[in-house]
Short mmCIF file of all heavy atoms in Angstrom, two decimals:
data_model
loop_
_atom_site.label_atom_id
_atom_site.label_comp_id
_atom_site.label_asym_id
_atom_site.label_seq_id
_atom_site.Cartn_x
_atom_site.Cartn_y
_atom_site.Cartn_z
N ILE O 269 32.13 -58.69 -3.48
CA ILE O 269 32.15 -60.08 -3.84
C ILE O 269 31.35 -60.99 -2.77
O ILE O 269 31.48 -60.74 -1.57
CB ILE O 269 33.68 -60.67 -3.90
CG1 ILE O 269 34.39 -59.89 -4.94
CG2 ILE O 269 33.73 -62.14 -4.10
CD1 ILE O 269 35.85 -60.12 -4.90
N ASP O 330 19.50 -65.11 5.69
CA ASP O 330 19.62 -63.64 5.87
C ASP O 330 19.90 -62.90 4.64
O ASP O 330 20.17 -61.66 4.67
CB ASP O 330 20.74 -63.28 6.95
CG ASP O 330 20.23 -63.63 8.23
OD1 ASP O 330 19.00 -63.74 8.65
OD2 ASP O 330 21.16 -64.11 9.18
N ALA O 604 28.44 -105.21 -16.40
CA ALA O 604 27.90 -105.98 -17.51
C ALA O 604 28.10 -104.98 -18.77
O ALA O 604 27.40 -104.06 -18.96
CB ALA O 604 26.47 -106.26 -17.30
#
Side-chain angles (χ1 to χ4, degrees):
I269 298 168
D330 291 328

